[in-house]
Amino acid sequence: MSFTLLAFLAAALYALNASLSKLLLQDVSPTMMAAFLYLGAGVGMLAVGLIRAFLRRQPFRLHFTRADAPYVAGMTVLDVAAPILLMLGLTRTFSANASLLNNFEIVATTLFAMLLFREKISGRLWLAIGLITLSGVLLSLEGGGSLHFSLGSLLVLLACICWGLENNCTRMLSHGDPLEVVVVKGIGSGLGSLLIGLCAGEPLPDAATMPLILLLGFVAYGLSIYCYVYAQRGLGAAKASAYYAVAPFIGVFLSLLIFREIPSPLFTAAFLLMAAGTWLVGLVK
């Protein structure tokens, strides 16, 4: 399978996240939701790795080096913050808004790739970044007597900034086995979020809900991240993130279907700007 197809598959799997998480958040706290999503990803991919090692008659072990340590640490810490911010945002804004705002991750990933890792940014990509940013501003506004920023949307944007930096940390680890990256990312970040939730006195999900969260985490985070990390190996952080940009549009469709949210004129304008920006990103060579 080509790197491009892997990036699109990663997007399709991640698109399940916002809508289904919002449904489950009716019975689970945001921090616990984030914790068990990532634990589902990490433990699920660990099971895949153990089965693969057994079939190959090889021991399963991690192959990270001392030079990888700063990127592993950065990836884990940022993956604690980002999903918690996203879950908090989902409780305060529409699922369709949150899905579309996830495309701001392209902007954050691209800017960090340029500033920290010297990836080249073309003029067309700069235009795409401008359109996506303008769309994000519109999605962050609330109507009423006067326009003001939505706290929920701002939390989602902060999550995207964290994931943008985290994508670049992950890219520095993409030379190795993507499955190992997902295992460390999932279990490390999941345990970090779980500790925060327990310290805050948040209850664990009930026995009926926990398996659903773990399964969603395995699919929307574990398998998605595995495909995305593999795609980064051939495409780079900025380009892989660009192809990943179809996820929010699939997420918007699911949100409108599940929650019957009626798009506002502001949302429609933002959607068109986001679509134009994403199209331009797809044209970048």
Side-chain angles (χ1 to χ4, degrees):
M1 187 179 292
S2 73
F3 292 118
T4 300
L5 287 176
L6 280 170
F8 280 126
L9 178 58
L13 294 173
Y14 181 71
L16 302 171
N17 180 43
S19 299
L20 297 182
S21 289
K22 190 170 179 68
L23 282 174
L24 293 169
L25 279 167
Q26 297 174 14
D27 303 309
V28 185
S29 69
T31 305
M32 286 297 177
M33 184 73 187
F36 282 95
L37 283 172
Y38 265 89
L39 286 173
V43 174
M45 295 307 292
L46 176 60
V48 171
L50 291 172
I51 292 171
R52 186 182 69 177
F54 174 77
L55 293 175
R56 293 178 177 178
R57 299 181 184 276
Q58 297 174 345
F60 177 82
R61 61 174 183 266
L62 302 177
H63 294 87
F64 296 113
T65 65
R66 183 174 297 179
D68 294 327
Y71 302 110
V72 171
M75 176 184 72
T76 303
V77 171
L78 290 164
D79 268 329
V80 170
I84 293 175
L85 289 167
L86 176 61
M87 294 304 133
L88 288 170
L90 278 170
T91 63
R92 293 168 170 82
T93 190
F94 293 115
S95 175
N97 263 40
S99 293
L100 205 56
L101 277 169
N102 267 295
N103 253 355
F104 191 77
E105 186 178 332
I106 298 173
V107 175
T109 300
T110 303
L111 292 178
F112 283 125
M114 180 192 69
L115 295 172
L116 301 180
F117 300 99
R118 300 295 187 265
E119 286 194 22
K120 293 183 179 180
I121 309 300
S122 67
R124 181 176 285 167
L125 190 52
W126 276 117
L127 178 58
I129 287 172
L131 291 173
I132 293 170
T133 301
L134 179 57
S135 174
V137 171
L138 292 179
L139 288 168
S140 301
L141 295 173
E142 290 182 339
S146 61
L147 293 176
H148 59 282
F149 283 100
S150 157
L151 176 59
S153 294
L154 291 177
L155 288 169
V156 176
L157 288 175
L158 286 174
C160 290
I161 291 171
C162 289
W163 266 317
L165 182 54
E166 182 272 335
N167 285 339
N168 284 279
C169 291
T170 302
R171 183 228 174 170
M172 301 305 293
L173 303 171
S174 62
H175 57 83
D177 186 348
L179 188 142
E180 295 178 14
V181 175
V182 181
V183 169
V184 171
K185 179 195 292 276
I187 294 177
S189 303
L191 290 175
S193 297
L194 180 62
L195 180 61
I196 292 172
L198 291 174
C199 290
E202 296 184 6
L204 295 170
D206 60 45
T209 307
M210 188 181 294
L212 297 176
I213 302 174
L214 292 171
L215 179 60
L216 177 60
F218 173 62
V219 173
Y221 284 80
L223 293 177
S224 175
I225 294 169
Y226 177 80
C227 293
Y228 180 73
V229 173
Y230 210 100
Q232 279 189 322
R233 181 181 296 176
L235 300 174
K239 189 65 175 177
S241 180
Y243 287 119
Y244 199 70
V246 299
F249 295 100
I250 302 172
V252 166
F253 174 77
L254 289 174
S255 297
L256 297 178
L257 191 67
I258 294 172
F259 298 102
R260 307 295 173 90
E261 298 168 349
I262 301 175
S264 67
L266 201 64
F267 178 88
T268 303
F271 183 91
L272 293 174
L273 285 170
M274 189 72 77
T278 304
W279 177 73
L280 282 172
V281 167
L283 294 178
V284 176
K285 300 298 183 182

